[in-house]
Amino acid sequence: MSATGQSPAALAREQLPGGTPADRLAALRRTFESGQSLPLKARLGALGALLDALKRHEPLLLEALHRDLGKSPVEAYFTEIGLVRQEIRYLRHWLPFWMRPRWRLGSLVQQPGWIRIRRAPYGVVLVIAPWNFPVLLSLLPLAGALAAGNAVALKPSELAPNSAGVLRLMLESAFSPDYVAVFEGGPELARALLELRWDYVFFTGGPATGRFVYEAAARHLTPCTLELGGKSPCVVDAQVELQTAARRIAWGKFLNAGQVCLAPDYVLVDRRLYEAFLEALVKAIRALYGDAPQRHPDYGRIVNEQHFARLVAYLRQGRVYYGGQLDASERYIAPTVLVEVPPEAPVMQEEIFGPILPVLPYENPEEAVSFLRSRPDPLALYVFSRNPGFAQRLQESVRFGGGCVNDVVLQLASPRFPFGGIGQSGLGRYRGKASWECFTYEQAVLLRPFAGDVRLRYPPYEAAKRPLFRRLLR
């Protein structure tokens, strides 16, 4: 029940701007069933309208991202708006090729006959987006769903309210609400939306909420993609270019003040390199953000007081090797390196999602593999080594969604890279062609002429037919 005493089902029938959620879903369904979103021209037009709206509203989006998360304009473009523009252009270029049906010759028992395989849109898609990259993680799946020929409802996060407001303004300027609907509200609205029957649900967020979304979708047998988080490990071998490794890890960890689902959550370092790595890491942090990160224009802030308090508690679960400075009035936490962290501490059990990086030593590759295997499947695995055999061994020994060798986070920077998790870190893949496949299903049709109707298939099934069937169905 909600704070007002209403059930999610009642909230789904409550009047909101633009109508009740159920009414708006019905309007989206009418649009899809009319067939107007299906032709290639319509899909390309929708992607073009999205790209044009993004360009027009870029200044407002940049301002909103700064207000919500303290992002500088350059970082906001590099990590959000620019990636969306790249995605849309990629989808528009390749969509005419992907939409072509594939043809196969039928088997002997299907002759004469041909098989046509095409990918069909699900229908009406619900996208629930997170707050940490509110533009990127709203518009990437939205673009994929439109390219696939669906009508779409977007529920941006209420924890990034400025970005959510601009997204609504932007999308309402580009699309009819019967084609793309934006729902602004909190968790109660999300629960109400999940009471309804969608044709596909795409969720990005934490594993706990992901389980709720999965259960809600299962009640309607609705397929879904879950892009979750987890503790993505970074393993540093003794054979490594130390300064480059430290700089790349520091960049990936403290980007967006650590509020990145793909950020290295902790680092395992070969003990022979442990002290040298810590020194290089501190040097890299200072090179990126100076000695006063709080005043650096490219260092962000924690999204709200609740997350700030959660992160502050982690600082007491190890020894602060570097950083640790706080300013609650700005929700500022300095880039922090933790050492002497017990493996069973909450900071090593829960996704940190903030600018705190535990660094632990390991004795040998077997110990590192054992440590990684003892934990839930991560969204990403990062390995730094000059030894290809070492990197391959770790990748083959651990289940993970995706990752990098000798870098971090950049796997999300290309539509050519299918992105997603495994197990507790997610279900399904998207980006580029993977997005188009995510929001469509494979549909195969056997096409046969009336001629060539062989009586063998029909009763009576005399014993003499058995060897013929065995030969046909080998």
Side-chain angles (χ1 to χ4, degrees):
M1 300 290 285
S2 73
T4 61
Q6 291 176 289
S7 69
L11 282 168
R13 298 188 295 272
E14 184 175 292
Q15 190 74 22
L16 296 172
T20 68
D23 288 342
R24 298 182 72 185
L25 169 58
L28 290 167
R29 197 171 299 285
R30 285 193 296 272
T31 295
F32 176 75
E33 291 175 352
S34 74
Q36 67 187 65
S37 65
L38 300 181
L40 172 62
K41 184 177 179 180
R43 302 186 197 195
L44 294 176
L47 292 172
L50 181 60
L51 184 60
D52 291 342
L54 183 63
K55 292 175 182 176
R56 291 196 309 271
H57 292 80
E58 183 177 316
L60 289 175
L61 290 169
L62 293 174
E63 181 182 353
L65 289 167
H66 180 73
R67 288 177 177 271
D68 287 332
L69 292 155
K71 293 189 180 185
S72 70
V74 174
E75 179 184 324
Y77 186 87
F78 174 47
T79 63
E80 301 218 39
I81 295 171
L83 292 178
V84 176
R85 292 178 67 166
Q86 176 194 49
E87 180 88 0
I88 296 171
R89 288 194 296 267
Y90 187 86
L91 291 169
R92 293 185 76 191
H93 175 78
W94 287 104
L95 188 59
F97 301 94
W98 298 337
M99 284 185 64
R100 293 174 182 171
R102 291 173 289 136
W103 292 90
R104 300 286 186 271
L105 187 65
S107 66
L108 278 175
V109 77
Q110 295 169 326
Q111 291 301 318
W114 298 265
I115 301 166
R116 185 190 66 206
I117 303 170
R118 60 184 288 267
R119 296 197 71 89
Y122 280 101
V124 183
V125 171
L126 173 63
V127 175
I128 303 177
W131 53 263
N132 59 323
F133 288 89
V135 175
L136 178 73
L137 299 180
S138 293
L139 298 186
L140 283 185
L142 174 66
L146 291 175
N150 300 279
V152 189
L154 170 66
K155 195 296 187 181
S157 174
E158 73 284 0
L159 298 184
N162 297 286
S163 300
V166 176
L167 284 169
R168 178 184 56 78
L169 180 69
M170 183 188 101
L171 294 172
E172 287 179 352
S173 75
F175 300 101
S176 160
D178 297 345
Y179 187 13
V180 176
V182 181
F183 291 88
E184 283 190 274
E188 292 178 355
L189 175 60
R191 286 193 290 270
L193 291 172
L194 289 167
E195 285 284 323
L196 304 173
R197 183 184 67 81
W198 304 88
D199 298 314
Y200 200 89
V201 175
F202 187 103
F203 170 80
T204 305
T209 308
R211 290 189 184 92
F212 174 81
V213 172
Y214 205 15
E215 291 170 358
R219 288 196 290 271
H220 298 289
L221 296 180
T222 299
C224 59
T225 291
L226 305 176
E227 295 296 343
L228 311 178
K231 297 188 71 64
S232 297
C234 186
V235 182
V236 179
D237 184 26
Q239 300 180 50
V240 72
E241 208 297 298
L242 186 59
Q243 305 304 322
T244 302
R247 181 169 58 250
R248 291 176 179 178
I249 292 169
W251 170 79
K253 176 59 185 180
F254 300 112
L255 182 72
N256 199 31
Q259 298 165 118
V260 182
C261 62
L262 284 171
D265 213 75
Y266 62 95
V267 184
L268 299 179
V269 184
D270 188 299
R271 186 176 291 278
R272 293 169 291 178
L273 206 66
Y274 185 65
E275 293 298 334
F277 174 79
L278 288 170
E279 293 173 7
L281 184 61
V282 170
K283 182 179 178 181
I285 295 170
R286 285 178 170 155
L288 292 174
Y289 301 111
D291 291 325
Q294 188 171 5
R295 296 195 295 271
H296 198 285
D298 294 317
Y299 189 72
R301 297 297 185 265
I302 305 308
V303 67
N304 60 23
E305 289 77 8
Q306 179 183 354
H307 282 279
F308 180 85
R310 175 183 62 82
L311 292 166
V312 169
Y314 288 150
L315 296 176
R316 298 188 289 269
Q317 296 170 14
R319 178 170 68 85
V320 174
Y321 181 88
Y322 178 79
Q325 295 84 9
L326 309 170
D327 186 341
S329 67
E330 291 190 15
R331 303 191 307 277
Y332 165 79
I333 299 177
T336 301
V337 178
L338 278 188
V339 296
E340 300 170 15
V341 183
E344 67 277 4
V347 74
M348 287 300 298
Q349 301 294 326
E350 302 161 2
E351 185 178 12
I352 296 172
F353 224 66
I356 301 168
L357 183 61
V359 181
L360 294 77
Y362 69 88
E363 297 293 341
N364 51 58
E366 290 74 19
E367 182 182 3
V369 168
S370 178
F371 188 91
L372 298 175
R373 281 179 168 173
S374 69
R375 292 167 184 260
D377 302 326
L379 180 59
L381 172 66
Y382 305 119
V383 183
F384 284 80
S385 178
R386 281 198 176 102
N387 181 356
F390 178 86
Q392 183 175 351
R393 178 180 179 186
L394 259 68
Q395 291 170 59
E396 292 176 349
S397 301
V398 180
R399 291 205 328 166
F400 62 98
C404 300
V405 175
N406 297 330
D407 215 328
V408 298
V409 176
L410 285 182
Q411 65 266 42
L412 191 60
S414 171
R416 298 174 180 85
F417 195 112
F419 174 79
I422 180 73
Q424 289 194 37
S425 60
L427 174 69
R429 295 288 183 275
Y430 78 121
R431 290 305 310 274
K433 187 177 184 182
S435 278
W436 180 71
E437 292 175 343
C438 168
F439 292 109
T440 58
Y441 64 95
E442 200 166 59
Q443 189 182 75
V445 175
L446 175 66
L447 289 84
R448 300 198 68 224
F450 285 107
D453 199 32
V454 179
R455 291 292 304 171
L456 177 66
R457 63 187 274 191
Y458 299 109
Y461 296 123
E462 302 97 338
K465 290 185 177 182
R466 185 183 302 172
L468 295 174
F469 282 135
R470 287 186 181 276
R471 293 185 64 185
L472 283 172
L473 301 174
R474 284 187 300 179

